[in-house]
Amino acid sequence: MSSSSASLTLFFFFASTFLNAHAFNITRILNLNNEFSTFNNLLSQTGLASTINSRQTITVLALSNDAVSVFSDQSTEDNKKILSLHVILDYYDIKKLKNLNKKSVILTTLFQSSGQAKGQQGFINATVMSNGDVMFGSAVPGSILDAKLIDSVATHPYNISVLHISSYIPIMNPEGPSDHGSSSSPLPPQPPGDDDYTYDEPPSPPSSTTKPVVAAATAKANSTSGVSAITTHNLAFAFVISSFWFFITVW
């Protein structure tokens, strides 16, 4: 093999590694904690795992094994719809949620992007309560907030955040909520434009000093990853193209 061919082979190897450095795998992340094994299997069965992995920026609201019993009596298609409501199309970790500019934010989910949602069904409401708790619920007006943020499962700024919540978020009737057995207090009406109510905030700016962190859902199993976060895929692509042109010119 000539020196130029060897150099090109080496270049493409490192270029491929660089382009995929930002990638994450939700199945592997959840495999680190058996508490989410059923939720993890449901993501694979419904095909949502591969959809999540194909995204550049995502937040997954994960459910522990004791909170997914409702999915055992439903079809795979119905499970996919509900689970897709637990996938937010933006990066939100605990710090970002706790420091919302406004106490409530409406978040766009994968269910909304599927085109099957009606009205506000594809959005969820995240609200910081007076006691500091972060609660989630359907954005359908009048819906309740009964899914509580428990802790962080994994973060890879600013690509993926996996948050542990206490209970699943149901798909509500777009014309108004129906009772699904919760004792939580109803969410006060908050029409768009209210001072305490806003839609998706822009993604947080990337930081070259931030490293991905993997944290167990319980305080006994915290762990940290040392792989530096990659900012944008476009930057990587530009780097590869310019480097490729350099190699072609030289050899």
Side-chain angles (χ1 to χ4, degrees):
M1 180 182 294
S2 66
S3 60
S4 61
S5 297
S7 298
L8 282 173
T9 300
L10 186 63
F11 163 72
F12 281 115
F13 170 77
F14 284 108
S16 176
T17 301
F18 185 74
L19 279 172
N20 290 288
H22 81 281
F24 50 79
N25 188 302
I26 185 61
T27 303
R28 292 177 184 173
I29 291 173
L30 292 175
N31 271 340
L32 296 176
N33 195 317
N34 288 331
E35 186 177 2
F36 303 101
S37 59
T38 304
F39 180 79
N40 198 9
N41 289 334
L42 285 168
L43 291 183
S44 297
Q45 292 169 10
T46 57
L48 288 175
S50 59
T51 302
I52 291 170
N53 293 337
S54 70
R55 292 276 178 166
Q56 178 73 20
T57 304
I58 212 83
T59 298
V60 178
L61 303 180
L63 299 165
S64 58
N65 294 337
D66 59 359
V68 293
S69 59
V70 64
F71 298 99
S72 62
D73 298 326
Q74 299 184 144
S75 66
T76 300
E77 185 60 30
D78 286 340
N79 284 342
K80 182 176 183 178
K81 291 178 181 178
I82 296 179
L83 289 171
S84 64
L85 191 64
H86 295 69
V87 182
I88 300 167
L89 304 184
D90 199 352
Y91 177 88
Y92 279 88
D93 53 23
I94 291 180
K95 181 179 179 180
K96 185 174 179 180
L97 287 168
K98 294 270 190 179
N99 292 281
L100 291 173
N101 291 332
K102 299 183 179 182
K103 71 179 184 181
S104 291
V105 62
I106 300 301
L107 307 172
T108 307
T109 72
L110 200 57
F111 183 49
Q112 177 65 23
S113 69
S114 71
Q116 300 180 71
K118 300 177 181 179
Q120 295 289 88
Q121 282 184 325
F123 300 93
I124 59 174
N125 186 320
T127 294
V128 181
M129 312 302 286
S130 58
N131 63 358
D133 288 343
V134 178
M135 304 295 293
F136 296 92
S138 172
V140 171
S143 298
I144 58 179
L145 298 175
D146 58 355
K148 180 181 177 180
L149 172 63
I150 298 178
D151 55 21
S152 176
V153 179
T155 59
H156 187 160
Y158 290 89
N159 297 130
I160 186 170
S161 173
V162 182
L163 302 175
H164 179 196
I165 61 173
S166 61
S167 59
Y168 84 101
I169 302 170
I171 296 177
M172 305 301 291
N173 185 330
E175 298 179 357
S178 59
D179 183 13
H180 61 284
S182 173
S183 59
S184 301
S185 300
L187 175 68
Q190 295 178 319
D194 186 89
D195 288 340
D196 293 328
Y197 180 87
T198 186
Y199 278 80
D200 281 294
E201 295 179 341
S204 302
S207 170
S208 59
T209 60
T210 306
K211 294 183 178 182
V213 176
V214 176
T218 62
K220 295 182 180 179
N222 291 328
S223 61
T224 304
S225 170
V227 183
S228 298
I230 303 300
T231 54
T232 64
H233 193 278
N234 289 339
L235 179 61
F237 182 74
F239 168 79
V240 171
I241 293 300
S242 60
S243 299
F244 176 73
W245 180 253
F246 171 78
F247 272 91
I248 292 299
T249 303
V250 173
W251 281 282

